[in-house]
């Protein structure tokens, strides 16, 4: 029986050979990368697998652990690099290693120190890094190394963290935008540093195509950069540098088939590489041709020619014209007497990819053509007939209108009357003879190209309204809506015309022509509020137009602007009668609903007010519409009973004395006896009354006495006693 005892040997301690900073910092701006080289000291052939290494890095003076990591060394180079978050000059860094195999580790190596600038005998303070470039949003840690003479307790913002006796650092400094050309500055103990913020290259969308069928042009979308020159980007396409920042022209043949292009963009913050693959013949975007001139220009077409400086190919022009080597075309359906600007671009017809660039603009004008037919109508105003016509628009005139020609005649009259009108005339008064009806008028416009087709209208006999009753119409939303019953006689549609009802200006009329089959229209025009308009509907027939409907109304009513005229007041006893004349039609501004004294109708021109009390009265009369009242007309009158008595006293006096004379059959008189006795023996007392009227109340009393006395006399004369209510009336006196 044999027993075997195995004892694991300790792992050998690695040996650090060299620690050094990476980079040739000749300007002492700052370095960040520490390189470590070592040996593992395993006996030859006895190295276990796998072997890893634990690494720890300290800030030497405070022996503060700032980094630890377990690294692999698969190639056995025994070399490792570490990038510090702050420049290595800021303070001394110490590093140590140990070997690790599974759960076993070796002893640590002795510390190996990379000295910093904080142990130098410098008479000046220093800041690291200097002239540093960083990306937007990147955190930068700065350190300030104080000179030996600086006092203890130094901590000016932003250097608030002490990592050695003489070194202070900042929290990471970040900027969300690029720096100016001069960069940002940071200060510490009367010294400072400048740093710059920008972007690494981020160019996009590399696209290569041919513009002339001879070469390849590659273009891309540039990324953001900084403002400083140190952020300038260098570009290479397939290994060839270009000074342009967004394109590069390569003198490559386009007949090689599918090609590959690679763009490398690089600046101090990084590098970007993008690629594109295509067949240049499938990527044709042609340069702009040159239009030479527009030749053979007519009223409605023109021929356009151009040149293209490259070799012939198949073009596609404006999606309409195509052909190999196409260099001209005819533009049709143009408007006469119109200015045009034309330009041309080309595209590959075989493998259409994109349109090419537009050519230069070429401007030309088409020639004149005969005008279109004139829109003609007529108006009956104050017993006269007028022919009116509209001006032709630019698109209708086809040139400069030089005048109008009118031809007047009838079917029974072989003679025709020719009349010429200037361009600024749009109205002609028809003679009384020709306005009787059965006469036609033919109207044409003319320009340098010729005369328009004639427009003909037959003059109707409109001296009467043909029994058409004028109705009212109410506007809405600054317009009138009108409808009518279709008529079989309307062979060519309808005409709706309108004009201010009380306008005295001849030819102040507008019209709209409505096609057959339509029996309504909404009129939008420059209607004025408070102005009455007359609207008429005519049937267009083979002969004269026939009036179908006439209406008057306001697009919007207003309050009256005028006053009633000739306001008068007459007194009848204790009653007053007001009378007036109507206001001017243009001042009504709407349909009158009545007048305001007491409310009376719009056709009333007289109004009586009864049972007034004596005194002074001011009477006001106002016209009103649905919108409100207009201004008033005033009259002042004194109402009293004296005026009433003066008016009726002759009547009562005559009545009284007539009765007395009829009753007296025999009169005997003396200076002392005032009794009268008739044949029947009835005695009547005749009293002579002399009254001095002092006020208006007396008039009423006197009239009452005379009336009652006359009545008593009549009763005695007819041998009739006073009735009870008559005696009561008498007793009141």
């Amino acid at each position: 029986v044999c027993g075997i005892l195995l004892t694991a040997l300790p792992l050998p301690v690695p040996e650090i050979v060299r620690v050094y900073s990476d980079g040739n910092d000749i300007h002492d701006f700052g370095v960040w990368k520490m390189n470590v080289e070592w040996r593992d000291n395993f006996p030859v052939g006895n190295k276990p697998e796998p072997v890893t290494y634990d690494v720890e890095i300290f800030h030497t003076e405070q022996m503060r652990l700032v980094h630890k990591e377990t690294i692999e060394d698969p190639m056995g180079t025994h070399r490792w690099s570490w990038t510090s978050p702050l420049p290595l000059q800021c303070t001394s860094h110490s590093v140590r290693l140990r070997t690790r195999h599974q759960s076993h580790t070796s002893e640590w190596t002795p510390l190996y120190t990379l000295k910093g600038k904080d142990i130098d005998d410098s008479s000046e303070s220093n800041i690291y890094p200097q002239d540093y470039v960083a990306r937007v949003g990147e955190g930068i840690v700065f350190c300030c190394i104080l000179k030996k003479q600086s006092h203890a307790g130094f901590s000016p913002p932003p250097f608030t963290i002490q990592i050695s006796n003489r070194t202070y650092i900042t929290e990471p400094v970040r900027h969300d935008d690029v720096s100016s050309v001069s960069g940002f500055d940071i200060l510490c103990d009367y010294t400072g540093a400048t740093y710059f913020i920008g972007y690494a290259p981020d160019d996009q969308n590399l696209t290569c195509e041919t513009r002339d069928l001879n070469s390849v042009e590659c273009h891309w979308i540039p990324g953001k950069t900084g403002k400083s020159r140190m952020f300038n980007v260098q570009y290479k396409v397939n290994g060839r540098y270009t000074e342009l920042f967004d394109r590069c022209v390569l003198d490559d043949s386009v007949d090689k088939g599918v090609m590959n292009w690679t763009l490398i963009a690089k600046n101090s913050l990084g590098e970007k590489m993008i690629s594109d693959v295509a067949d240049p013949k499938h990527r044709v975007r042609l340069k702009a041709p040159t239009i030479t001139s527009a030749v053979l220009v007519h009223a409605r077409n023109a021929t356009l020619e151009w040149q293209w400086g490259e070799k012939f190919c198949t073009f596609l022009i404006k999606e309409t014209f195509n052909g190999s080597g196409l260099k001209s075309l005819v533009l049709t359906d143009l408007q006469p007497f119109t200015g045009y600007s034309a330009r041309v671009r080309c595209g590959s017809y075989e493998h259409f990819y994109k349109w090419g660039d537009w050519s230069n603009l070429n401007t030309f004008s088409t020639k004149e053509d005969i005008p279109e037919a004139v829109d003609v109508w007529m108006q009956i105003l104050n017993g006269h007939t007028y022919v009116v016509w509209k001006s032709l628009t630019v698109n209708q005139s086809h040139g400069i209108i030089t005048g109008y020609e009118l031809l007047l005649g009838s079917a029974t009259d072989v003679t025709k009357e020719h009349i010429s009108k200037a361009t600024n005339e749009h109205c002609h008064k028809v003679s009384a003879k020709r306005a009787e009806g059965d006469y036609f008028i033919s109207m044409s416009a003319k320009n340098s190209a010729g005369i328009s087709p004639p427009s003909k209208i037959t003059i109707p006999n409109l001296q009467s309204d043909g029994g058409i009753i004028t109705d009212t119409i109410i506007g809405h939303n600054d317009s009138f809506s009108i409808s009518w019953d279709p008529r079989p006689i309307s062979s060519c549609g309808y005409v709706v015309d309108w004009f201010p009802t009380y306008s005295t200006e001849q030819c102040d009329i507008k019209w709209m022509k409505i096609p057959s089959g339509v029996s309504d229209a909404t009129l939008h025009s420059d209607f004025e509020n408070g102005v009455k308009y007359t609207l008429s509907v005519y049937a267009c027939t083979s002969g004269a137009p026939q009036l179908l409907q006439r209406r008057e109304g306001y697009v919007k009513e207003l309050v009256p602007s005028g006053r009633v005229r000739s306001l008068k007041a007459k007194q009848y006893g204790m009653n007053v009668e007001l009378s007036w004349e109507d206001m001017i039609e243009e001042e009504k501004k709407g349909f009158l609903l009545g007048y305001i004294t007491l409310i009376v109708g719009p056709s009333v021109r007289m109004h009586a007010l009864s049972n007034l009390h004596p005194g002074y009265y001011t009477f006001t009369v106002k016209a009103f519409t649905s919108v409100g009242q207009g201004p008033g007309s005033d009259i002042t009158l004194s109402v009293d009973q004296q005026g009433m008595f003066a008016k009726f006293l002759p009547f009562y006096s005559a009545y009284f004395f007539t009765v007395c004379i009829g009753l007296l059959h025999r009169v005997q008189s003396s200076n002392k006896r005032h009794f009268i006795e008739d044949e029947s023996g009835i005695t009547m007392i005749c009293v002579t009354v002399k009254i001095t009227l002092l006020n208006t109340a007396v008039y009423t009393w006197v009239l009452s006495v005379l009336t009652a006395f006359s009545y008593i006399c009549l009763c005695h004369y007819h041998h009739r006693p006073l009735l009870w209510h008559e005696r009561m009336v008498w007793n009141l006196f």
Side-chain angles (χ1 to χ4, degrees):
V1 178
C2 299
I4 300 175
L5 179 63
L6 297 178
T7 302
L9 298 175
L11 295 174
V13 178
E15 178 184 356
I16 296 178
V17 177
R18 187 166 68 128
V19 176
Y20 59 96
S21 60
D22 191 14
N24 186 14
D25 189 17
I26 59 176
H27 299 292
D28 196 26
F29 288 161
V31 291
W32 284 261
K33 183 176 289 187
M34 173 190 291
N35 298 294
V36 181
E37 296 180 0
W38 70 92
R39 289 192 293 265
D40 57 18
N41 293 326
F42 280 103
V44 178
N46 289 334
K47 182 176 181 180
E49 294 293 343
V51 173
T52 57
Y53 301 91
D54 294 333
V55 180
E56 291 183 343
I57 299 176
F58 302 87
H59 285 166
T60 304
E61 282 195 14
Q62 297 180 346
M63 281 306 295
R64 182 166 64 91
L65 179 66
V66 294
H67 183 76
K68 65 178 181 178
E69 181 181 351
T70 297
I71 60 176
E72 295 181 359
D73 186 24
M75 302 299 296
T77 57
H78 304 322
R79 181 178 300 167
W80 174 74
S81 296
W82 171 69
T83 300
S84 171
L86 72 158
L88 297 174
Q89 289 96 327
C90 293
T91 188
S92 299
H93 290 74
S94 298
V95 59
R96 66 179 183 178
L97 290 86
R98 68 180 178 184
T99 304
R100 176 180 292 276
H101 174 60
Q102 296 178 353
S103 61
H104 302 283
T105 59
S106 69
E107 297 292 332
W108 288 102
T109 65
L111 289 171
Y112 200 109
T113 300
L114 183 66
K115 296 180 179 180
K117 295 288 186 178
D118 57 344
I119 62 175
D120 292 346
D121 294 333
S122 175
S123 60
E124 299 292 337
S125 298
N126 290 310
I127 292 181
Y128 291 95
Q130 292 281 341
D131 292 341
Y132 185 70
V133 293
R135 301 184 182 188
V136 171
E138 178 184 345
I140 314 169
V141 178
F142 291 91
C143 69
C144 177
I145 303 175
L146 300 176
K147 57 187 177 182
K148 280 190 173 183
Q149 293 81 5
S150 294
H151 59 80
F154 172 85
S155 61
F159 297 92
T160 57
I161 303 173
Q162 186 175 9
I163 62 172
S164 72
N165 292 334
R166 292 170 50 192
T167 301
Y168 293 80
I169 64 172
T170 66
E171 295 286 351
V173 177
R174 290 181 174 85
H175 292 276
D176 295 328
D177 198 2
V178 298
S179 61
S180 63
V181 175
S182 58
F184 295 112
D185 293 328
I186 187 167
L187 300 175
C188 173
D189 195 31
Y190 305 105
T191 188
T194 301
Y195 60 101
F196 303 88
I197 305 297
Y199 290 97
D202 191 26
D203 301 81
Q204 305 288 336
N205 298 346
L206 175 66
T207 303
C208 297
E209 56 196 12
T210 180
R211 305 297 310 278
D212 54 11
L213 303 177
N214 290 322
S215 60
V216 175
E217 178 179 302
C218 296
H219 53 87
W220 56 89
I221 300 175
K224 298 179 180 179
T225 60
K227 298 179 180 179
S228 175
R229 287 186 301 173
M230 63 181 60
F231 298 115
N232 290 347
V233 180
Q234 289 184 334
Y235 294 101
K236 288 193 299 184
V237 179
N238 285 3
R240 282 169 282 188
Y241 285 99
T242 176
E243 295 182 358
L244 301 176
F245 67 93
D246 62 349
R247 68 176 63 88
C248 175
V249 177
L250 305 175
D251 295 329
D252 292 340
S253 173
V254 298
D255 299 323
K256 295 181 180 179
V258 177
M259 301 180 64
N260 188 1
W261 301 278
T262 300
L263 168 70
I264 298 177
K266 184 178 182 180
N267 71 358
S268 57
L269 289 177
E271 180 178 293
K272 180 71 176 287
M273 182 172 66
I274 52 179
S275 299
D276 186 28
V277 178
D279 184 344
K281 287 185 177 181
H282 296 182
R283 293 276 189 89
V284 178
R285 185 169 66 92
L286 296 170
K287 295 179 181 178
T290 301
I291 297 180
T292 55
S293 63
V295 296
L296 300 176
V297 179
H298 302 288
R300 298 182 182 275
N301 61 73
T303 301
L304 197 66
E305 293 184 349
W306 63 89
Q307 293 179 349
W308 196 64
E310 312 301 334
K311 68 183 183 180
F312 290 127
C313 67
T314 301
F315 297 133
L316 177 65
I317 310 297
K318 289 285 292 181
E319 301 181 349
T320 303
F321 308 95
N322 62 78
S324 179
L326 190 64
K327 287 192 174 182
S328 67
L329 57 88
V330 178
L331 304 174
T332 59
D333 298 327
L334 304 180
Q335 286 290 327
F337 198 62
T338 303
Y340 287 92
S341 294
R343 59 182 182 175
V344 180
R345 61 181 179 180
C346 303
S348 172
Y349 183 70
E350 183 179 5
H351 301 287
F352 182 77
Y353 165 64
K354 287 182 180 179
W355 284 112
D357 296 336
W358 283 111
S359 69
N360 58 300
L361 279 173
N362 182 272
T363 301
F364 63 92
S365 297
T366 53
K367 298 184 181 300
E368 293 191 7
D369 201 357
I370 61 172
E372 296 181 12
V374 181
D375 190 356
V376 179
W377 189 234
M378 52 83 194
Q379 182 185 25
I380 307 298
L381 181 66
N382 298 329
H384 300 287
T385 302
Y386 299 88
V387 175
V388 292
W389 58 92
K390 294 180 181 179
S391 298
L392 294 175
T393 65
V394 174
N395 290 335
Q396 294 171 336
S397 61
H398 301 163
I400 300 176
I401 300 299
T402 57
Y404 301 95
E405 295 292 333
L406 280 74
L407 180 65
L408 289 79
S410 70
T412 59
D413 189 356
V414 295
T415 62
K416 303 293 188 295
E417 181 181 359
H418 291 268
I419 300 174
S420 296
K421 290 290 185 178
T423 56
N424 60 344
E425 295 183 273
H426 298 91
C427 179
H428 174 71
K429 183 178 180 181
V430 182
S431 64
K433 177 182 177 181
R434 298 189 184 279
E436 293 176 356
D438 195 33
Y439 277 86
F440 70 85
I441 295 178
S442 179
M443 158 74 68
S444 296
K446 59 183 180 179
N447 61 14
S448 64
I451 191 165
S452 71
S455 299
K456 185 177 179 181
I457 184 171
T458 301
I459 301 174
N461 184 3
L462 295 180
Q463 301 305 319
S464 65
D465 57 12
I468 298 297
I469 299 175
T470 301
D471 293 328
T472 59
I473 187 171
I474 304 297
H476 181 67
N477 290 336
D478 299 327
S479 64
F480 288 108
S481 294
I482 189 169
S483 61
W484 57 91
D485 294 330
R487 299 295 179 90
I489 61 173
S490 175
S491 59
C492 49
Y494 304 90
V495 177
V496 180
D497 69 19
W498 61 93
F499 60 90
T501 303
Y502 303 107
S503 173
T504 58
E505 183 178 353
Q506 65 184 38
C507 305
D508 186 16
I509 188 171
K510 296 180 180 179
W511 66 95
M512 175 191 297
K513 293 186 176 179
I514 309 297
S516 298
V518 179
S519 58
D520 60 80
T522 299
L523 309 179
H524 296 277
S525 186
D526 51 350
F527 295 116
E528 295 183 30
N529 296 335
V531 174
K532 181 185 282 189
Y533 289 90
T534 299
L535 289 75
S536 304
V537 180
Y538 295 85
C540 176
T541 70
S542 57
Q546 180 176 333
L547 179 63
L548 303 180
Q549 182 183 135
R550 178 160 289 159
R551 306 181 75 176
E552 292 181 350
Y554 301 83
V555 71
K556 183 178 181 180
E557 294 186 79
L558 302 176
V559 298
S561 63
R563 296 175 169 83
V564 299
R565 298 174 296 166
S566 303
L567 179 62
K568 298 177 182 179
K570 292 183 180 180
Q571 180 181 357
Y572 298 96
M574 299 307 290
N575 302 330
V576 172
E577 181 182 84
L578 301 177
S579 63
W580 59 89
E581 295 179 6
D582 201 3
M583 65 179 63
I584 300 173
E585 289 290 344
E586 289 85 341
E587 296 178 346
K588 290 183 178 179
K589 303 299 182 182
F591 294 111
L592 293 189
L593 301 180
Y595 299 89
I596 299 295
T597 50
L598 298 176
I599 298 178
V600 294
S603 61
V604 174
R605 301 290 182 270
M606 182 182 297
H607 182 58
L609 297 99
S610 59
N611 299 322
L612 300 178
H613 294 288
Y616 283 92
Y617 289 85
T618 296
F619 302 100
T620 300
V621 178
K622 298 180 180 180
F624 65 94
T625 67
S626 62
V627 180
Q629 303 174 18
S633 294
D634 301 332
I635 188 171
T636 301
L637 180 68
S638 174
V639 178
D640 54 36
Q641 293 175 333
Q642 179 179 1
M644 179 188 71
F645 180 77
K647 184 176 182 70
F648 293 101
L649 182 59
F651 168 77
Y652 280 105
S653 300
Y655 174 75
F656 173 74
F657 286 107
T658 300
V659 172
C660 287
I661 291 173
L663 293 174
L664 295 177
H665 180 266
R666 182 177 69 250
V667 179
Q668 296 179 356
S669 60
S670 65
N671 292 331
K672 296 182 179 180
R673 187 171 182 267
H674 298 277
F675 296 96
I676 300 174
E677 184 177 350
D678 62 4
E679 294 179 348
S680 61
I682 298 175
T683 302
M684 294 180 62
I685 301 175
C686 293
V687 181
T688 301
V689 181
K690 182 178 181 182
I691 303 174
T692 302
L693 300 177
L694 301 178
N695 52 55
T696 57
V698 178
Y699 285 102
T700 304
W701 184 83
V702 171
L703 289 175
S704 301
V705 170
L706 289 175
T707 302
F709 190 74
S710 299
Y711 190 76
I712 295 170
C713 290
L714 286 173
C715 291
H716 281 280
Y717 179 75
H718 292 289
H719 307 283
R720 182 177 68 81
L722 287 172
L723 298 176
W724 177 83
H725 64 274
E726 294 170 341
R727 291 196 300 270
M728 289 297 293
V729 172
W730 174 249
N731 291 335
L732 291 175
F733 298 101

